[in-house]
Amino acid sequence: MKKSLITLASLAVASFAQVGIGRSTAGIHVPTAETMDRGTLFISGSYEMVTDSKSMSMEGYYIDEEGNQVDINENASSNDETLFLSFAVVDNLELNFRLPVHYDSQIKGANSRSLGLGDIQVGAKGSFPLNEMWIFGASTEIFIPSGFKGTGFRPRHRWYVNSNDDAYAYTADDWGISAYVHATAKLGSISNASAYVGVLKSLNTPVNFALWGLGVTFLPEKILNVILEVSGETPIHSSNLAYNIFSSPFRFTPGLRMHLPSRVDITISGDVGINYLRGKTSEDGLPVTLRTGKEPVKYNALGSPNLGIGVTLSKRLNLSWIDSDGDGIKDRDDMCPRTNHGMTVNERGCPVDEDGDGVLNIVDLCPGTLRGLKVDYNGCPIDADKDGVFDYQDKCLGTPFGFAVDSKGCTLDSDNDGVDDNNDKCPKSKPGEPVDETGCPMDEDHDGVTNDKDKCPGTPNGVTIDKKGCPLDYDQDGVPDDLDKCPNTTADEIVNEIGCPKDSDQDGVPDSRDNCPETVAGAKVDETGCRVDQDGDGIFDDDDKCPNTPQGAPIDSLGCPLDSDGDGVADWYDQCPGSFKNAVTDGKGCPMNDRLNFNSIAKRIKFKKDTTFTNSSYTAMNDIVANMRQYPIAIEIQCAAPKKSLADDRAKAIYNFLEHKGISEDRMKYEGFEKSLPKGISTRGDEANGVRLTPFTLQE
């Protein structure tokens, strides 16, 4: 071949997939920080297959040496099988061994077919429990370059691609070593969370790799677990770190694990590569020069396969030889590993009769009975009077059945009234107080009327009562006469706790006659309890700064008459309310010069027909323009006509004229009214032309 086979233009999923599902008895790609009990052997076998949406591992094409396009076989499968062994030599230390085997089927035109051995890994992990919730650990692995070089197509790890882009599918062709730290948080039966981070170093490669993962197992103690993980492996100390992150394995892994009998587990999982989520194509991948054939094959590979599935079958074997309690039964078979020294046990390591009372443990309801005590057929000490206190502790043997007893087996009578607590309905009666057969006082409220005749048993002490034991209440207001400060209130009167008429708002008018029961404190009120407003302007006298305002006069918030145009004449008396500021007016509020009053000007605006102005109207509107240019004022244009639509059009015509003359829109507003203008403040004349101009204040 004159040139190497190519640049592969598009691979949908071929890339790097970290193999080996089980690192310990928990997790998929993310191992737990825990270690197994001493002498436990963990064995797992896993099968993983990389796939895309068409259940293939690869697709695309390359150009051969003759310039022909050669398609990659659509049925080219890619899978991995891994044998994993881990043995706990002591309680907090495991040694492990991993043997991977890979398979890539034939790629048309490339020597990629066949089954091959991957790089063997050996390692160790130690755990450091902090408490029942937190466990930390550390581990290391050595990668032995035992994988086949002459076969395969998909590199299994990111570090299989050397710095010059050379790669083999099944081996790094180099020794490697890695170190990790682990952390696990155990949340009881709810979930376990594990995380790890580590660094991997290939001896002859200048770039190191960061390996990390985070996973959560839900319902770890149930038969079926749900597992969610993210993990990845990324070059570090790289000149193009961002590119290398996205061209490296980074995946989301959901899975289900089922716990079967005999400590066997089966796990089904799936890998979703980050590029599947980000929509990347092979052109965005890492350049790879594959050296498995006679000629190198060049193509781009994405950081993670889009999709992958895996199945793992695992089993734990207890090979421990320890016999902690020295009963002759090894711990792995001992169902009672803490038997007392010298005690006779059965083949399961459990005592036959642990307390020596003659009743076998399997039926003994009181397995901790003191030696030498007489027991019944259940293995419990004798309690002849059935009072709940065993005879060897009972100081009052023969207590009547059903009587309450104390810790010594004697009848319990807490209030010493002669009635035991089991039958005492008033167990807290006063010492020496006469009681009936139920243990309750004969006269509980001490009013001189026995309980059986007392119709008001809760009478306060010292209150005068009638022959039925009820307090005397002459005015029937619910307050006993002895406590009633107003004993002659009427039948419909609302009273307070001392029997006097209730005055909730303290305004001097009882609630029964108070029409305004929530008057503020200190306010002046009339005989009905309502606040006073003598001039009827809506401002109460307590707040009214002008208490004698004429009826109907417009007022401000203090109750004083308004002077809208500021000419010194209140609006209610002002005959010319539209006067300009600082205009000289007469005693009725009218300017000495009619041109200084909007309503005087408005009388000169007239219409011939519809919205056509008379000639003299333009002079009046120009006067408006001149004054609005001189003074910072705003006006409301109001027009009346037989039809409201005509009135609106006429008001709009005046508005448009003023706007055309340069008056700003925010200084004007207009409105039309049918037939007549609304009633307003006093004006000079009758506005027969149906036009009114009213000044208003601009908002800041």
Side-chain angles (χ1 to χ4, degrees):
M1 295 173 142
K2 295 181 180 178
K3 297 181 180 179
S4 62
L5 280 176
I6 64 123
T7 301
L8 291 178
S10 123
L11 283 175
V13 292
S15 180
F16 319 106
Q18 186 176 3
V19 296
I21 285 192
R23 288 195 175 202
S24 69
T25 56
I28 299 175
H29 298 300
V30 180
T32 176
E34 292 181 280
T35 54
M36 298 177 292
D37 295 334
R38 174 176 49 181
T40 301
L41 175 64
F42 176 76
I43 305 172
S44 75
S46 64
Y47 171 82
E48 294 178 283
M49 180 179 68
V50 175
T51 180
D52 63 9
S53 60
K54 295 181 289 188
S55 299
M56 298 181 300
S57 65
M58 292 170 286
E59 64 179 3
Y61 65 90
Y62 63 90
I63 306 300
D64 65 15
E65 60 183 0
E66 297 177 356
N68 298 317
Q69 177 177 303
V70 181
D71 291 330
I72 296 176
N73 184 359
E74 290 190 351
N75 297 316
S77 60
S78 179
N79 54 63
D80 309 284
E81 296 77 29
T82 303
L83 173 66
F84 178 78
L85 304 175
S86 183
F87 182 70
V89 294
V90 293
D91 283 341
N92 296 315
L93 177 63
E94 294 178 3
L95 300 179
N96 57 68
F97 170 82
R98 192 191 316 266
L99 177 65
V101 177
H102 312 302
Y103 175 77
D104 287 338
S105 64
Q106 177 68 46
I107 303 300
K108 185 177 180 181
N111 184 19
S112 60
R113 182 188 58 195
S114 186
L115 190 70
L117 181 67
D119 287 348
I120 295 173
Q121 301 160 44
V122 294
K125 180 173 72 172
S127 66
F128 310 96
L130 186 62
N131 50 41
E132 291 184 358
M133 177 177 178
W134 288 99
I135 302 171
F136 296 93
S139 66
T140 183
E141 288 182 321
I142 297 174
F143 296 81
I144 303 171
S146 57
F148 288 14
K149 294 182 181 180
T151 189
F153 191 84
R154 177 170 59 91
R156 265 31 185 206
H157 287 282
R158 177 63 174 82
W159 60 86
Y160 282 14
V161 182
N162 296 328
S163 58
N164 60 359
D165 298 336
D166 285 353
Y168 294 100
Y170 297 165
T171 179
D173 195 28
D174 191 9
W175 288 79
I177 186 168
S178 62
Y180 308 88
V181 291
H182 305 261
T184 294
K186 305 182 70 174
L187 302 178
S189 61
I190 301 173
S191 66
N192 292 341
S194 295
Y196 78 93
V197 62
V199 176
L200 181 141
K201 171 68 177 176
S202 292
L203 298 186
N204 296 319
T205 302
V207 180
N208 297 328
F209 291 82
L211 289 77
W212 59 273
L214 174 66
V216 180
T217 301
F218 297 97
L219 306 176
E221 298 177 5
K222 302 298 183 180
I223 293 177
L224 188 64
N225 310 154
V226 177
I227 302 172
L228 300 176
E229 295 180 351
V230 290
S231 58
E233 48 194 45
T234 307
I236 53 180
H237 305 304
S238 171
S239 59
N240 193 349
L241 182 60
Y243 171 76
N244 279 287
I245 289 175
F246 291 115
S247 64
S248 298
F250 186 107
R251 60 182 167 261
F252 168 65
T253 306
L256 292 175
R257 171 174 292 124
M258 180 178 290
H259 298 301
L260 303 177
S262 302
R263 307 180 82 180
V264 173
D265 295 339
I266 184 169
T267 304
I268 301 174
S269 64
D271 283 343
V272 181
I274 186 174
N275 293 311
Y276 181 81
L277 303 176
R278 296 173 66 244
K280 293 292 183 178
T281 62
S282 60
E283 286 82 358
D284 302 309
L286 182 74
V288 174
T289 302
L290 195 65
R291 299 288 182 179
T292 58
K294 295 180 180 179
E295 294 292 337
V297 177
K298 295 184 178 180
Y299 58 93
N300 286 350
L302 293 175
S304 297
N306 283 2
L307 299 171
I309 58 173
V311 179
T312 299
L313 185 65
S314 62
K315 178 174 176 58
R316 284 174 290 172
L317 299 172
N318 190 342
L319 305 181
S320 174
W321 57 91
I322 303 300
D323 179 12
S324 302
D325 54 8
D327 60 359
I329 307 297
K330 293 179 180 179
D331 286 356
R332 66 172 183 265
D333 300 321
D334 198 337
M335 298 186 66
C336 303
R338 298 180 181 178
T339 307
N340 292 331
H341 182 70
M343 187 168 291
T344 303
V345 299
N346 57 21
E347 66 278 3
R348 297 294 183 89
C350 293
V352 176
D353 179 12
E354 192 168 2
D355 55 8
D357 60 359
V359 179
L360 296 177
N361 286 353
I362 194 171
V363 294
D364 197 336
L365 300 183
C366 301
T369 306
L370 297 175
R371 291 186 178 275
L373 290 179
K374 292 182 179 180
V375 298
D376 57 20
Y377 62 90
N378 290 319
C380 296
I382 300 297
D383 177 17
D385 53 9
K386 306 297 182 184
D387 59 2
V389 180
F390 296 130
D391 286 0
Y392 75 95
Q393 297 173 324
D394 199 333
K395 302 300 182 183
C396 301
L397 295 171
T399 304
F401 180 74
F403 274 46
V405 297
D406 56 23
S407 59
K408 297 180 180 179
C410 296
T411 302
L412 189 61
D413 180 10
S414 301
D415 54 7
N416 294 310
D417 60 358
V419 180
D420 71 279
D421 286 0
N422 265 17
N423 298 306
D424 197 337
K425 295 184 178 179
C426 302
K428 296 182 179 180
S429 56
K430 296 180 180 179
E433 187 173 25
V435 298
D436 57 21
E437 66 278 1
T438 66
C440 293
M442 297 292 191
D443 178 13
E444 194 166 3
D445 56 6
H446 305 285
D447 60 358
V449 179
T450 57
N451 290 348
D452 58 336
K453 299 178 181 179
D454 199 336
K455 301 299 182 183
C456 303
T459 306
N461 190 28
V463 173
T464 305
I465 60 170
D466 58 20
K467 61 182 180 180
K468 296 181 180 180
C470 295
L472 294 176
D473 181 11
Y474 175 77
D475 54 7
Q476 299 295 312
D477 60 1
V479 180
D481 288 352
D482 293 330
L483 304 176
D484 199 337
K485 301 299 182 183
C486 302
N488 296 311
T489 54
T490 60
D492 60 347
E493 189 71 70
I494 302 172
V495 300
N496 56 21
E497 65 276 0
I498 61 174
C500 293
K502 190 174 183 179
D503 180 12
S504 301
D505 54 8
Q506 301 294 315
D507 60 358
V509 179
D511 288 358
S512 60
R513 298 194 302 276
D514 198 335
N515 292 336
C516 303
E518 297 181 355
T519 307
V520 297
K524 183 179 179 181
V525 300
D526 57 19
E527 65 276 2
T528 66
C530 295
R531 298 184 69 179
V532 177
D533 177 16
Q534 293 182 358
D535 56 7
D537 61 359
I539 306 296
F540 297 122
D541 286 3
D542 295 328
D543 303 321
D544 199 336
K545 302 302 181 184
C546 302
N548 296 312
T549 306
Q551 186 174 6
I555 60 170
D556 58 19
S557 61
L558 299 177
C560 293
L562 288 175
D563 179 12
S564 302
D565 53 10
D567 60 0
V569 179
D571 288 355
W572 68 272
Y573 188 69
D574 197 335
Q575 299 300 308
C576 301
S579 300
F580 296 168
K581 189 175 183 181
N582 299 325
V584 178
T585 62
D586 58 19
K588 295 182 179 180
C590 292
M592 306 303 267
N593 183 351
D594 279 352
R595 290 191 175 187
L596 298 180
N597 183 275
F598 274 118
N599 284 304
S600 295
I601 296 173
K603 286 179 175 293
R604 293 158 41 207
I605 301 174
K606 298 180 179 181
F607 297 90
K608 292 180 180 180
K609 184 181 180 181
D610 297 334
T611 60
T612 305
F613 296 107
T614 64
N615 291 334
S616 61
S617 298
Y618 292 102
T619 303
M621 290 190 291
N622 283 326
D623 288 343
I624 298 172
V625 172
N627 283 294
M628 292 188 74
R629 287 174 177 172
Q630 182 177 359
Y631 301 106
I633 53 180
I635 61 169
E636 180 178 0
I637 304 164
Q638 298 176 330
C639 288
K643 294 183 179 180
K644 187 175 186 309
S645 60
L646 177 59
D648 287 335
D649 292 342
R650 288 180 173 180
K652 177 64 172 177
I654 299 173
Y655 175 92
N656 290 340
F657 179 88
L658 299 180
E659 182 183 26
H660 181 71
K661 292 293 186 176
I663 305 303
S664 175
E665 293 180 0
D666 60 358
R667 298 177 61 193
M668 298 183 293
K669 54 186 177 181
Y670 66 89
E671 187 174 3
F673 299 91
E674 186 174 358
K675 295 183 179 180
S676 62
L677 293 171
K679 184 178 180 181
I681 58 177
S682 174
T683 60
R684 188 171 59 185
D686 58 4
E687 298 166 338
N689 63 330
V691 180
R692 180 189 294 163
L693 302 176
T694 305
F696 65 89
T697 303
L698 286 171
Q699 297 294 326
E700 294 293 337

